[in-house]
Amino acid sequence: MKHIISALVQNRPGVLAHVAGMFAARAFNIDSLAVGRTDDPALSRMTIVVVGDDKVVEQVRKQLAKIIDVVKIQDFSGREVVARDLMLMCVHTPPEKRHEILALVEMFKAKVVDIGQKFVMVEFTGPEEKIESFVEACQPYGIKNMVRTGTIAMAKFSQTTSED
Amino acid sequence: MSKSAHQKDSAQTPSSELPIKTGAEIIVDTLIEQGVDTMFGYLGGVVLPLFDKLYDAPINFIIPRHEQGGCHMADGYARASGKVGCIVATSGPGACNLITGIANAMMDSVPMVCLTGQVRTDLIGNDAFQEADTTGITRPITKHNMIVKDIKDLQRSIREAFFIAKTGRPGPVLIDIPVDIEIAKYQLQPLEEVTLPGYKPQEKGHHRQIKMAAEAINKSERPVLYVGGGVIASNASEELRELAKKANLPVTMTLLGLGSYDQREPHSLDMLGMHGTAYANFAVQECDLMIAVGSRFDDRVTGKIKTFAPNAKFIHIDIDPASISKNVNVHIPVVGDAKYILSELTKEVQHKDRKPWFDKIADWKSRYSMKYDTKSPNIKPQYVIEQIWEATKNNAIIVTGVGQHQMWAAQFYKHTQPRHFITSGGLGTMGFGLPAAIGAQVAKPDSLVIDIDGDSSFNMTMNELCTAVQYELPIKVCIINNGYMGMVRQWQELFYGKRYSKSSLKNPQFAAVAEAFGAVGITVDKKSEVKTAIAKMLAEKRPCVVDFRVEREENVWPMVPTGKSLHEMDGLDIFESMA
């Protein structure tokens, strides 16, 4: 099962290596890891998607908390979250198919960010499943390239106020 | 990345009265401020500015013959004294040679600060001479590590390192210091409380959890206290004794827990686990409540985890929340320092008779007391250890290498007080004995320190005899010499059809080696010479090595083969035949 864990870490060199190394050393399976700065320049946030049962996730949480530069851990298991991935994709656009692809982009509320003679580059943000179905829909036209970030997530506001 | 931290630092304008010092001076001043009076370490190019300052510093400095030895010395020093062990090494090979010692300290939760030199900041990453990514290499085997790339961070980093090393679950912390930082100048900073937002060890346990634990103890008919090295680390032996006495609980110890509870006390079940006593293992398997304190349910203790203490509820007291429910499901977790929690727990528990349980234990104890063939004409390793006990009683600090001799030292020496049994439990580092004994002797110059070693363990680090001779440390080394990697041979006998693949050794004449190093060497070939050799060794003021040529194919019993449950011990029939 997939679990989303959010870790607030000190913005110091080596922290990412430490966190990633802990996962590798303990044979925990990372599905995705996204890191970015927060409003406080001294802190970064890592959103980690882990695959495993409750016991594994509990250990991940505890072992993460043990790392000195990790300030706070939130485990989103069993909570309603807003989770998003970002994807950039280059799709083949033969002239006769171009309108079909643009219609798809429209339907999925994606965004064309670059257009070439043979390709369009599309930006898409959304929950993972929606990205998967968009990829599937684009597959027949030929995907030249795609790149995705890991998931970032936040607990829904109504819940964060009561539990944090 | 660390720009923000610098901004913060420069925001607090240092008081102009504080002197400007070089990095090396700041290091020495801060070490002294942190209470360091003894250090271990080896020189090298990039740590020369530091060693130049150490020339005049009031610090007792021990130079080992190899950085690994130095690291084990700092380890033995820390365990014997309860202080933080401190070791210095140069960059590249120096730092790399520390690895085994650091990993050993990590696995056994030993407080240690390692200072490593690094190439100049502008050379880092350029494959400079003697460059290694020390923080990268040591990240998985340290509690924390850091590289100081700005002189402004140096003093704070050292203070943080000591704070992290000795608080919470203790462990090794490494600071990598480029040589230009040692030469750079900065103002000394006033002592401030260390603030680490991500590090807040919880020392006082949750009161409700402690109450729940007490209730479970009060209800229990067949409890067992299962005690690990954490009790020794938190100096909680007295609190442990009081709890065991008041609540009337039998106590079994892990290898690292030995010494936390006096084994001469009737409540002691001695060591449990793979080579633990049968009565401890039976008691664990039949208990209805297991109270684990500062122990982490190592596989050498639990045997097959699924059938470990199958009818028991588990209370787990530990400072490290990650240890709780890692290997077994814990019913009542109490996160905190053993010293505090045990004394709180003692207030809440009641005395309970539990006669049937103690009768059962007494029966196991009488049937399965530790035995060996005392009639054998050969020198039995167990006999040697018994004689060392007889000659020293509870006065000696016993240090060991790793292997059969270590298990016999655990089984046949009576451990009576904390910090008097120093052994490599978690990592199982062969070669630990001699250097750790040197460290313990440095920490306790007036104590009798005996390294009970194996021939192959001793072979690994015997060059450190030089160190013992140079610093006039009167350590005693008793080699249980069977000409084999003994434990490996035992496994080959039991599990590989006696095919002793590569496990026999051509040893040097250890006594002659000792003499060549400037120590005293004694060889013992006959059983009748054992006692006199020990007496001679104890009378000796110099470092002394006694080479006991023991029976070559003696095994450690009882033994729980890997993958078996704790009560499925081999060797009990041997015990019965000797009854």
Side-chain angles (χ1 to χ4, degrees), chain B residues 52 105 212:
Chain B
D52 190 58
M212 275 171 71

Side-chain angles (χ1 to χ4, degrees), chain B residues 470-507:
Chain B
Q470 178 176 341
Y471 295 96
E472 299 177 2
L473 300 164
I475 53 155
K476 314 287 181 261
V477 180
C478 297
I479 305 173
I480 306 297
N481 182 357
N482 58 10
Y484 278 115
M485 300 169 198
M487 192 59 93
V488 167
R489 190 212 56 79
Q490 175 167 345
W491 282 50
Q492 287 175 331
E493 176 191 328
L494 301 175
F495 312 120
Y496 294 87
K498 295 197 180 186
R499 284 157 53 85
Y500 296 153
S501 176
K502 326 292 183 203
S503 57
S504 78
L505 294 172
K506 171 104 180 91
N507 282 322

Side-chain angles (χ1 to χ4, degrees), chain B residues 74-76 78-79 83 85 104-112 165 170-173:
Chain B
D75 184 319
R79 295 196 215 204
K83 293 195 245 177
N104 188 77
M106 181 71 172
M107 290 291 275
D108 287 350
S109 308
V110 177
M112 185 184 282
V173 179

Side-chain angles (χ1 to χ4, degrees), chain B residues 391-417:
Chain B
T392 62
K393 292 297 179 188
N394 51 335
N395 286 322
I397 296 175
I398 301 292
V399 187
T400 78
V402 165
Q404 283 185 316
H405 67 278
Q406 176 189 28
M407 291 300 121
W408 285 314
Q411 291 175 334
F412 287 89
Y413 197 89
K414 285 184 180 53
H415 304 283
T416 59
Q417 45 185 326

Side-chain angles (χ1 to χ4, degrees), chain B residues 152-165:
Chain B
K152 289 178 194 154
D153 297 332
L154 181 61
Q155 197 167 19
R156 180 180 48 79
S157 298
I158 299 171
R159 287 171 178 159
E160 282 178 7
F162 277 87
F163 180 70
I164 293 167

